[in-house]
Amino acid sequence: MNFRQRVNPFTVNGLLEVLGRNTLRACVTVLACVLVSLIFFYRTSATYISEVSLLVPSSYIALLTRDEGVPMVPDAELGSFRIALVRSVLSDSFLDGLGERYDIFQESLDAPKHSIERQAFRSRFILEALPASTIRISVTGNSPEQVSGLLSDIVKEMRKVLLRRIKGESDMNEESIVSVIKEPVVPEAPLTPHKRDYLLVGIFLGLLASLCQIAYHEYRLSQFLFPEEVAAALGVEFMGDLPEIPRVQWLYLLDHVKTSRQKLIG
Amino acid sequence: MAEDFQEGFSEIRKIVSEYIHTSEFKRFISALDASMSASGQTTLSVMSQFQGEGKSFLTCAIAVSFVGFLGKRVLVVDTAREGDELNLLSSLIASFAVTDMPQGSLDVMTGRGLAGGMAGQTDFRLKSGIEHFGASYDRIIVDTVSIEESEAASIDPIVVAKQCGRGLLITSPLSLHINSSQELARHITRNRVPLLGTVYFGGIGA
């Protein structure tokens, strides 16, 4: 009979013993977890981000508000006004056109769920007002070409729409209404996922799983969980699994012995 | 007082009878009898690691089953008891001895009685006692102290098992769930205790 030895892992020798007999198991577990995390990494679609910085001069906004009878926009609100201008450019029809061009929508344009898809597409555009009459537009997408192309199209559309609004009442041209300060670039690396993060998570989960596995393994070394295991370890027959005796009956038996003994002594 | 005892015995008989008529117990008795017959053993020592794992109750149930189901003549040897004091096993057996069981079909002796009254030497003299009385019985079931108690008791269950030829090890939730079954198995193997098998006793229920 070869019984497995249980050791105290809180001593140096015990710890070395536990590590020694579990090293292979731990390595395999960590490798398996890393492999699974890498599979997840390669199965996760990459997300790219690109941005463009635009200058919309205050003189254009002043021209626009004067023509429409709106009082002068305070300086503090010019940023919000510029963002509102960009939002007005991102109309449903414009977004539908972009979506079709870059193959973004899964549903057809007349499908009931299309409006949800369009809203999700719209939410991929992040608008920020910056100092010095500048706004930044960021967009996320599935490919580097897609995100840079989307931004270029938006810039073109902005120029066209904003020029149309002032109806040629000014000598401002497309370039002077919207000047590009920072051109949209084709991103080289995706925003997500990062291989390093996935690897770290895989290693961490692998170590955690190894720890649990070792703890369970060491626990099983010292304990039989099923009565059949005792018989198997001793190499003898397991003869039966007998039912429990109800507590009331057991207490009666003990009480009977006790009272009988007292009666006999008495 | 005799009526009080009779009433108590009747209740005990009812409890044990109900238990031995469960299908699990019947199957166990069948397996035990088959193993004893196959190995040519007539004597069996009932062992457990801890006190309170049901040795005495099972010893009585086994003995009563051998008599009742299989028509055997059974001698129960209580090595845990040195004198005339009353304990669970003697109380259980006594409740059946007063019934109309055939004369000599179920008897009980103390280990000291079997060993010729030699106090402190019961475990070493069991074999000769068994040889002396064995011819009159088909089965001899020996109840002894638990392994845990062997240090404090004057009798060693391992020696008893060796003297009897074969032991039946009882495991229960007590021994299985307190991280000690491996120790017990190692102990039994190191001491070369000849075991016939193990049985799991569910213990005391709700």
Side-chain angles (χ1 to χ4, degrees), chain A residues 223 237 239-240 242-243 245 261, chain B residues 19 35 86 179 198 200 203 205:
Chain A
Q223 180 139 5
E237 184 185 352
M239 293 190 156
L242 301 180
I245 180 169
R261 195 181 287 153
Chain B
Y19 191 82
S35 283
L86 196 65
N179 222 14
T198 69
Y200 181 75

Side-chain angles (χ1 to χ4, degrees), chain B residues 155-171:
Chain B
I155 192 160
D156 190 305
I158 304 282
V159 177
V160 169
K162 286 185 173 180
Q163 293 276 313
C164 291
R166 286 295 168 106
L168 173 70
L169 179 67
I170 298 173
T171 57

Side-chain angles (χ1 to χ4, degrees), chain B residues 35-128:
Chain B
S35 283
M36 289 182 78
S37 299
S39 61
Q41 290 286 328
T42 55
T43 309
L44 184 73
S45 159
V46 181
M47 310 170 68
S48 72
Q49 186 178 13
F50 298 109
Q51 193 179 13
E53 288 197 88
K55 273 190 316 297
S56 298
F57 179 75
L58 280 186
T59 301
C60 172
I62 291 168
V64 171
S65 306
F66 274 143
V67 176
F69 295 151
L70 302 167
K72 308 275 188 193
R73 293 167 300 159
V74 178
L75 173 65
V76 175
V77 181
D78 187 359
T79 62
R81 188 166 57 119
E82 284 282 315
D84 295 331
E85 73 275 15
L86 196 65
N87 64 4
L88 180 61
L89 181 62
S90 55
S91 191
L92 287 167
I93 296 293
S95 68
F96 282 91
V98 297
T99 61
D100 53 357
M101 279 186 168
Q103 188 71 27
S105 61
L106 178 61
D107 291 327
V108 61
M109 286 184 82
T110 61
R112 189 173 170 180
L114 191 72
M118 304 291 285
Q121 298 177 13
T122 305
D123 37 12
F124 288 100
R125 290 179 175 265
L126 264 181
K127 193 172 181 180
S128 58

